[in-house]
Amino acid sequence: MSRDSTAASFSLQRVFDYHQSTKHRFEAYARGPGRLDWANQPDPLRRYAGARRIVLQHVEPTEQPRYDAVFDPGCRPAAAPPNLQTISQLFYDSLALSAWKQLGDTRWALRVNASSGNLHPTEGYLICGPIDGLCDRPMVCHYAPAQHALEVRAGFHAALWDALSARYPEHTVFVGFSSIHWREAWKYGQRAYRYCMHDAGHAIGAISIAAAGLGWQTRLLDALSTDELALLMGTFRAHDAEREEADVLMACVPGRQALDETGLPEEAVRSFASLAWQGSPNRLSPSHIDWGMEDIAAAVRKPRRTTEHYEAFEHPPLPWPLDQRPVSLRRIIRQRRSAVAMDGQTGITRESFYRMLYRTLPVAGAIPFSSLPWKPHIHLALLVHRVEGLPSGLYLLVRDPAHTDALRRALTGADAWRKPPGCPNQLPLYCLIEADARAAARQIACHQDIASDGCFSLAMLAEYTQPLHRYGPWFYPRLYWEAGMIGQLLYLEAEAAGIRSTGIGCFFDDPMHDLLGLEGRAFQDIYHFTVGGPVEDTRLTTLPAYA
Ligand SMILES: Cc1cc2nc3c(=O)[nH]c(=O)nc-3n(C[C@H](O)[C@H](O)[C@H](O)COP(=O)(O)O)c2cc1C
């Protein structure tokens, strides 16, 4: 065994151990602080003091494009060129503040991208060439949501930009994400790494959908190593503030050209080490507790590699043209909120249910999943409570039909695999058990009523051991990214249907597996979600995102 493969198998074991030890169990929750240390609460905003700031425009929602149009390859808006307005809009519709909430003297900001506990570990970056109205030379910027501004961390020469972007169409810009694990670990302890990666997935989904509204496509640059990502975003630099772990870079490309490239030239990337980096990051908490974030982050760091070895996606689901509702994409994006409680009464029609589920399928060119260079690894186990014309019970949406046989063997708890009534052929949905699943849904979601009081809740079942063995430990966060992207999309789908939803990171892992009769670890439950009629918290006042 080579030294590299020994290290990889050691890291893989650390990933498996991390996953097992961060499961919530009926007997005990994963290790965490128990009581919150408010004096040590992390600042939700990272700032780079001393970096020049470019204030972006507040581009308020318009009627066009329609929400449904961006998901239909035949109706997507024509590509707008990158300029001050479109770059402003890209961030305004993905990572910006969406509102402030107030209770008594306490105020807190919400954002367009959802985040576990509203702690927002994800930081956004822009790497671009000269852009009309924004900058006359290439630059790397950190995005500051509270100001809706870019903090210029480094400028660089046109020749370096040309080398960096040579494999991409003209007008491409790159958006990157990093995570400050401490923000989630402060509240959630050991399990926090999972939430950070869910949140990164939500942010990837948010950028993909906002970009689609501009007629742009997005693609993960997944051939880059973690070290290269840190060079490109400037997060490699030593400082005394909380570390940012580089996660991912996405190409945002105006137009529809085929995009198979997922890397950047090595030499150009290396040059970022010697840029004149500006700005010092703020410290977020006076002190820290080590919840093992660095251990799991180290185990999943990605080496540089091409992605040719990703398995092909053989049988994408069939297209199903859906009618277009008179709903504005950008209003839906900016009004998205988590339901804090569900009313236990609202139902939806089965057509509405099928439509939402269809949107989560990785059909050819589907937003946001076409950003991913790997085939889908996540299926949805649904607990249906209030869908008109459908019996309550456990259902399964198979997002990659190639896994149907493996799932049939693995889910030994199924009574049958029945096509539900009225279900279109395009939707690989099966009813496995007919039963009132409300008590189970609530209990498994850490006894949260939102899971039983909605129309349906769901568990995201990830194909687990096979991709981790095949690709390596660095694939672990990618499973969560895919889950987070499904989550961000479901949030919008619920809004578009006139109801609401909530991500659920707190669930009992193995009891969900037991409900499905799932033995072994071929599949693991990695995220939950609930969709239903919300109950507003009338004690709260809602204030505009920006004064
Ligand atoms: C990964 C993830 C896990 C979450 N887990 C829960 C949960 O277990 N229970 C809950 O009530 N809300 C949960 N939420 C909802 C967040 O608390 C909510 O997104 C956050 O407070 C921000 O509010 P907003 O979504 O309205 O912007 C989760 C959200 C995400 C993205």
Side-chain angles (χ1 to χ4, degrees), residues 11 14-15 18 193 290-301:
S11 296
R14 278 160 75 192
V15 168
Y18 172 80
Y193 180 77
D290 180 1
W291 290 109
M293 295 298 101
E294 179 51 30
D295 281 357
I296 178 65
V300 302
R301 266 174 210 143

Side-chain angles (χ1 to χ4, degrees), residues 98 110-111 113-118 120 188 195 198-199 202 336-340 448 450 491 502-506 527:
S98 54
L110 298 178
R111 301 196 199 174
N113 54 316
S115 165
S116 182
N118 202 29
H120 288 285
Y188 296 114
Y195 300 154
H198 287 127
D199 282 11
H202 277 274
R336 181 211 65 77
R337 300 280 185 282
S338 293
V340 287
Q448 299 184 81
I450 43 170
Y491 265 120
T502 305
I504 300 184
C506 190
Y527 192 18

Side-chain angles (χ1 to χ4, degrees), residues 58 60 92 97-100 107 145-148 334 543-547:
H58 296 207
E60 295 304 338
Y92 204 58
L97 304 192
S98 54
W100 284 86
R107 265 172 35 122
Q147 292 76 25
H148 186 47
R334 291 199 51 86
L543 304 163
Y546 299 97

Side-chain angles (χ1 to χ4, degrees), residues 191-242:
R191 194 168 158 104
Y193 180 77
R194 298 183 181 208
Y195 300 154
C196 292
M197 295 303 102
H198 287 127
D199 282 11
H202 277 274
I204 293 169
I207 283 282
S208 304
I209 297 167
L214 293 163
W216 301 359
Q217 50 172 324
T218 48
R219 187 85 172 157
L220 259 62
L221 301 197
D222 204 40
L224 295 170
S225 68
T226 306
D227 287 346
E228 288 177 308
L229 292 167
L231 281 177
L232 289 161
M233 291 186 255
T235 54
F236 68 98
R237 289 169 58 81
H239 51 70
D240 293 335
E242 291 76 1

Side-chain angles (χ1 to χ4, degrees), residues 271-294:
S271 312
F272 279 66
S274 49
L275 298 187
W277 292 95
Q278 305 296 315
S280 316
N282 55 328
R283 203 177 155 89
L284 308 179
S285 293
S287 66
H288 304 99
I289 296 173
D290 180 1
W291 290 109
M293 295 298 101
E294 179 51 30

Side-chain angles (χ1 to χ4, degrees), residues 365-430:
I367 305 293
F369 307 107
S370 53
S371 303
L372 301 180
W374 60 83
K375 74 185 186 83
H377 288 284
I378 292 189
H379 309 284
L380 307 185
L382 300 130
L383 297 169
V384 170
H385 312 311
R386 283 173 211 86
V387 177
E388 265 169 47
L390 279 191
S392 300
L394 173 67
Y395 290 69
L396 185 74
L397 181 71
V398 182
R399 290 179 68 249
D400 178 356
H403 291 156
T404 310
D405 288 345
L407 284 161
R408 272 181 192 270
R409 284 192 301 274
L411 304 187
T412 61
D415 290 338
W417 278 59
R418 267 190 297 272
K419 245 356 234 174
C423 180
N425 284 338
Q426 289 91 336
L427 200 60
L429 178 71
Y430 303 91

Side-chain angles (χ1 to χ4, degrees), residues 139-282:
M139 58 181 188
V140 182
C141 300
H142 169 250
Y143 177 66
Q147 292 76 25
H148 186 47
L150 295 172
E151 295 174 325
V152 183
R153 302 254 11 251
F156 57 95
H157 290 296
L160 177 54
W161 172 251
D162 291 346
L164 193 74
S165 60
R167 299 173 187 166
Y168 289 87
E170 202 187 353
H171 300 312
T172 295
V173 302
F174 300 112
V175 171
F177 294 118
S178 69
S179 298
I180 305 181
H181 301 142
W182 166 246
R183 284 217 183 97
E184 291 280 337
W186 165 74
K187 181 168 181 187
Y188 296 114
Q190 232 192 346
R191 194 168 158 104
Y193 180 77
R194 298 183 181 208
Y195 300 154
C196 292
M197 295 303 102
H198 287 127
D199 282 11
H202 277 274
I204 293 169
I207 283 282
S208 304
I209 297 167
L214 293 163
W216 301 359
Q217 50 172 324
T218 48
R219 187 85 172 157
L220 259 62
L221 301 197
D222 204 40
L224 295 170
S225 68
T226 306
D227 287 346
E228 288 177 308
L229 292 167
L231 281 177
L232 289 161
M233 291 186 255
T235 54
F236 68 98
R237 289 169 58 81
H239 51 70
D240 293 335
E242 291 76 1
R243 253 181 60 73
E244 283 178 45
E245 178 75 12
D247 293 317
V248 68
L249 197 68
M250 300 168 76
C252 301
V253 184
R256 298 176 176 218
Q257 308 86 318
L259 277 186
D260 291 325
E261 187 54 61
T262 64
L264 293 173
E266 253 177 292
E267 209 182 309
V269 174
R270 271 201 301 271
S271 312
F272 279 66
S274 49
L275 298 187
W277 292 95
Q278 305 296 315
S280 316
N282 55 328

